[in-house]
Amino acid sequence: MATLERSVTPQRKPLPGDQLHVIGHGPAVLLEAVLSGSDIAAYKVRYPDGTQDSVAPDQALICEKKDRSASRMSQGSGCDSQGLGQDRSERNDRAEPLMQRGVSGSSQPPLSASPRGPRQLEYLGRAFDDERRSIATPSATFSLVATMVGGGVLSLPFAMSQCGLVLGTGCLMLSAVGSAWTLSMLVDCARATGRDSFELVGHAAYGEFSRKGTIALVFIICWLTKIAYFVLLTDLMVPVAELCVPALQSLTPAAVRRVVVCVAAVLLSPMCFKSSLSSLRFMCFASVGSVIVVGCVVGLRAIENFGIGHQIQVQMPNHTNRVVEVSPSYNLWPADWAKALYVFPTFGVSFLCHFNALPTHQELARPTRSRMRRVILVTLTLTSLIYLFVSVCGYLFAGCYTCGNVLLNFSSDDSLITVARAALSLVLMLNFPLICQPCRNALFRLLNGAGCLKAAEPPHQESQQDSSGSFSMEIVATSDPQLALSPESREPSREPPREPREPREPAVGLTRSRTPPASPPQAQAQVHVYLRQDTRGGRGQPSGPDTNAVQVFDTFLPKEEAMQQGALEPTKLQRIVMTTLLLGTSLLVSCVMRSIMVVWAVIGSTVSFLIAFILPAMFWYKVVGPTARPWRRHMALALVAFCTVMSCICFVLACLNLDEPPCPTKGLTAEA
């Protein structure tokens, strides 16, 4: 056979720095090969936590980087056990069962070196057939859609008005494509490392500094989002409060806003002090529903007034309202390019769901690459359509006077708009504690890591405890990146475990479990290893009930402390003090903010660029990049460079527009 003739080509001996997978221990770096005569007696390896060990050759799966032209012409595996210095002809019978089981006459790409293990191996923190993987593709899609859409959609019409219909639509689509790309990057990193959270993927890429930096980003984005929520609640509740309590109209507009936001803070504060928010785990449904109601009402009013002059409401810088006449004229391109750059980050913020993508991947049933890719594509498509409809309709209704919160353009006596305001206000108030909890936890972890605070003794919990060593972050509604329930609040599936297929014959020298083990009940993170060809999915892959079970290649307990440490919890006193501090500071800052666009501009130009685009690309370049094609590595670096430049430009513009009024007032100030 041609395969055997080509397979006699000798390969180089293993060199220090080669990546390998140690059976039962996971990825490691080869330090040296210990020789006994001319044979390899053992490999001295270093694990990711820095510990060193000597392993027998038959327990090490070592890979080499291959020339791509030779790789396309060869068959079999580029990874072998029991030493790499031997001729392939002596080991062909061992390598063939590993990569060509059940494959006849097909060419399989060889395994190549990878920073976290062989390229053709995939690492899942939760077993492929784990009974807790009970979320179907539609449910996973809805979860991510609910993560994105929220109060931030009210600012997209303003962004569209400043960019024009053509450029605005292009920026929206560009942000969607970029988000889909970086979400796929995160999934690639997770499957190359066995990490199931944004924080731990960062730790796998750049170590402890990256993990702490991610925690700091969570704190910053949650705190800024709380400020945005207070501003949104004020904009939405003031017209409703004045209808319900006419006496408020005797106060100045600024005084009314302060009274309303303080009352809202008092009403929602009891929930913010709770340590568990499992009763609010279904708020994502209400969030999506309220956004759909708002979109339908705005669309209805836009259709009624399309092509004709009509009156709208504009809020002045002193928060008094004026009625202006709007003509049916619309811009296709920006009238002011500086303003277009100023609002550009708003589109990126609207697709921010990167903290929630990996927890969704962790709970997705049968998490093949094709299924997760389908979830991401459908999610971004549906969300883009919702955003495009609301932003275009809002701009068509209000024209050049579109406000940073489009509902400010509607009169307070519009009954449908009043219903939409009340519904969205209620949802935002119930979602607010879901932001407060991860914000408080992130602050506590930062202070605990700096030695300023001591953690409480963790209570004993069963298998519902997240074993990843990081607080899972789920953004529940938005464009505004709020975070939601941790895994403690989710009910585990009570379905019986799926029955696995009969395993195939393992390769010589490599051990495999007969059944896919479920994640252990104890608070230890176990990583499950699979062959990539078994978890790829898509066309040409077997389908049916038997495909739910995929054979486990190996399992191991990760050695890094970040993967094994339990979740840290503050004491009751610490929780009360930190919650009060966070509520008070965010409330005070919101009282001096005149426009919600100021908050979105700051979030979008800083942490949003980092979380949604820059960091995922950097993680991917470090973890997956060494084994990817050069043009993909270059594209990732180009994305990092472009987003870094745009972030700096947009941040400068955000600082220059900190006094941005709630609505455009060009030509109206002199008449005020």
Side-chain angles (χ1 to χ4, degrees):
M1 292 177 60
T3 301
L4 294 179
E5 293 175 1
R6 187 171 297 276
S7 66
V8 299
T9 303
Q11 299 178 337
R12 69 171 177 86
K13 293 184 178 181
L15 299 175
D18 285 350
Q19 305 293 327
L20 54 85
H21 177 91
V22 180
I23 300 301
H25 296 276
V29 177
L30 178 64
L31 298 179
E32 64 174 316
V34 181
L35 300 178
S36 176
S38 59
D39 298 329
I40 298 178
Y43 292 121
K44 187 176 181 180
V45 300
R46 182 180 67 246
Y47 294 109
D49 64 343
T51 59
Q52 299 181 9
D53 193 13
S54 294
V55 299
D58 61 354
Q59 293 299 308
L61 185 67
I62 302 183
C63 299
E64 289 184 327
K65 290 184 178 179
K66 292 283 198 169
D67 178 72
R68 290 192 180 276
S69 60
S71 298
R72 287 192 295 266
M73 300 175 62
S74 63
Q75 293 185 1
S77 170
C79 277
D80 296 294
S81 62
Q82 297 186 350
L84 201 58
Q86 306 172 20
D87 288 344
R88 185 185 292 262
S89 58
E90 298 177 16
R91 305 181 314 275
N92 192 64
D93 56 336
R94 297 172 184 161
E96 186 174 352
L98 176 61
M99 295 304 299
Q100 297 194 22
R101 297 166 292 123
V103 179
S104 176
S106 63
S107 178
Q108 296 292 333
L111 299 177
S112 58
S114 167
R116 301 295 166 197
R119 183 70 178 111
Q120 297 266 354
L121 296 182
E122 291 208 330
Y123 300 83
L124 297 179
R126 181 173 291 178
F128 190 94
D129 295 321
D130 194 299
E131 61 182 6
R132 290 174 294 173
R133 286 189 176 272
S134 57
I135 297 183
T137 301
S139 299
T141 301
F142 180 83
S143 174
L144 290 181
V145 170
T147 294
M148 294 183 187
V149 299
V153 73
L154 300 178
S155 298
L156 289 177
F158 175 77
M160 183 68 70
S161 70
Q162 298 301 310
C163 291
L165 290 173
V166 174
L167 182 62
T169 302
C171 289
L172 184 67
M173 295 298 106
L174 178 64
S175 299
V177 171
S179 296
W181 184 14
T182 53
L183 285 171
S184 297
M185 286 181 172
L186 284 177
V187 173
D188 287 345
C189 292
R191 297 175 80 99
T193 61
R195 316 299 174 93
D196 289 321
S197 72
F198 194 99
E199 171 192 339
L200 291 179
V201 166
H203 181 270
Y206 296 104
E208 185 66 13
F209 174 79
S210 177
R211 189 177 72 89
K212 290 182 177 179
T214 303
I215 298 174
L217 287 177
V218 173
F219 168 72
I220 294 171
I221 200 170
C222 288
W223 186 73
L224 290 174
T225 302
K226 290 168 67 175
I227 297 173
Y229 264 40
F230 275 132
V231 177
L232 277 176
L233 283 171
T234 306
D235 289 343
L236 295 172
M237 294 179 65
V238 165
V240 178
E242 289 179 341
L243 287 176
C244 298
V245 186
L248 290 175
Q249 299 179 9
S250 61
L251 302 176
T252 63
V256 173
R257 291 177 64 86
R258 291 190 180 94
V259 169
V260 169
V261 73
C262 289
V263 171
V266 170
L267 292 177
L268 58 84
S269 60
M271 292 184 291
C272 295
F273 287 94
K274 292 181 176 293
S275 59
S276 175
L277 297 172
S278 58
S279 58
L280 298 179
R281 62 182 179 272
F282 299 116
M283 280 308 301
C284 59
F285 297 97
S287 178
V288 175
S290 65
V291 170
I292 292 176
V293 169
V294 170
C296 291
V297 173
V298 172
L300 177 63
R301 293 292 183 257
I303 293 173
E304 291 175 346
N305 296 278
F306 180 72
I308 60 175
H310 58 280
Q311 292 184 337
I312 65 168
Q313 183 174 276
V314 174
Q315 190 173 97
M316 304 302 291
N318 61 358
H319 298 295
T320 58
N321 296 323
R322 291 191 56 186
V323 176
V324 299
E325 187 77 17
V326 178
S327 60
S329 61
Y330 313 103
N331 295 327
L332 296 181
W333 299 98
D336 184 345
W337 284 90
K339 281 291 185 182
L341 281 174
Y342 169 70
V343 302
F344 176 72
T346 307
F347 296 109
V349 175
S350 63
F351 292 102
L352 188 61
C353 69
H354 294 63
F355 283 126
N356 196 38
L358 296 187
T360 300
H361 174 261
Q362 183 186 34
E363 298 183 3
L364 180 66
R366 295 182 57 241
T368 61
R369 283 181 173 267
S370 63
R371 284 170 64 86
M372 192 62 197
R373 190 179 301 117
R374 191 182 313 124
V375 167
I376 293 174
L377 292 179
V378 174
T379 296
L380 271 298
T381 300
L382 292 177
T383 309
S384 299
L385 293 176
I386 294 174
Y387 289 162
L388 185 62
F389 177 79
V390 175
S391 57
V392 170
C393 289
Y395 176 44
L396 294 180
F397 175 78
C400 61
Y401 291 109
T402 304
C403 296
N405 175 357
V406 71
L407 294 186
L408 294 177
N409 290 121
F410 295 87
S411 173
S412 58
D413 58 3
D414 188 322
S415 57
L416 286 179
I417 293 296
T418 300
V419 171
R421 285 184 177 124
L424 191 55
S425 298
L426 179 61
V427 169
L428 292 180
M429 289 184 66
L430 293 176
N431 274 336
F432 192 94
L434 301 178
I435 313 168
C436 188
Q437 187 184 61
C439 184
R440 181 183 63 222
N441 291 344
L443 176 61
F444 172 74
R445 295 187 66 184
L446 290 174
L447 295 176
N448 178 265
C452 301
L453 293 178
K454 185 178 180 181
E457 290 295 331
H460 176 71
Q461 293 187 352
E462 298 299 327
S463 59
Q464 290 181 348
Q465 175 72 28
D466 180 24
S467 60
S468 65
S470 71
F471 54 94
S472 178
M473 295 160 287
E474 291 189 30
I475 308 176
V476 244
T478 101
S479 315
D480 15 281
Q482 61 262 50
L483 307 173
L485 301 179
S486 56
E488 288 87 342
S489 62
R490 303 189 189 107
E491 290 294 332
S493 171
R494 285 172 169 77
E495 296 179 2
R498 302 181 181 95
E499 184 176 347
R501 292 176 292 174
E502 184 68 18
R504 305 165 190 157
E505 195 65 25
V508 176
L510 302 178
T511 59
R512 286 196 172 132
S513 57
R514 284 280 174 180
T515 58
S519 299
Q522 66 273 22
Q524 285 187 311
Q526 189 175 17
V527 177
H528 305 77
V529 187
Y530 298 89
L531 298 182
R532 185 171 183 177
Q533 67 185 48
D534 291 342
T535 61
R536 184 181 298 117
R539 293 184 178 181
Q541 297 296 310
S543 59
D546 289 341
T547 60
N548 284 343
V550 173
Q551 187 176 354
V552 175
F553 177 75
D554 186 28
T555 60
F556 64 92
L557 293 176
K559 300 179 180 298
E560 299 95 317
E561 183 181 355
M563 289 280 284
Q564 292 293 354
Q565 67 181 10
L568 301 176
E569 292 291 338
T571 64
K572 184 176 181 180
L573 177 61
Q574 292 170 346
R575 185 172 70 248
I576 293 174
V577 172
M578 287 189 297
T579 303
T580 303
L581 178 65
L582 294 173
L583 277 176
T585 53
S586 57
L587 179 61
L588 288 175
V589 175
S590 69
C591 289
V592 300
M593 291 290 177
R594 295 198 299 176
S595 171
I596 185 61
M597 276 306 303
V598 175
V599 187
W600 293 146
V602 173
I603 293 177
S605 61
T606 54
V607 290
S608 177
F609 266 115
L610 282 170
I611 294 172
F613 303 106
I614 298 176
L615 289 182
M618 291 178 63
F619 295 164
W620 183 91
Y621 186 84
K622 177 70 172 180
V623 174
V624 184
T627 63
R629 293 182 181 273
W631 69 267
R632 296 187 65 191
R633 296 197 299 271
H634 297 158
M635 290 292 290
L637 290 179
L639 177 65
V640 172
F642 173 77
C643 291
T644 301
V645 172
M646 290 299 297
S647 176
C648 295
I649 295 174
C650 294
F651 179 69
V652 172
L653 291 173
C655 293
L656 295 176
N657 289 273
L658 290 177
D659 60 345
E660 177 77 12
C663 301
T665 57
K666 186 176 181 180
L668 300 177
T669 304
E671 304 174 15

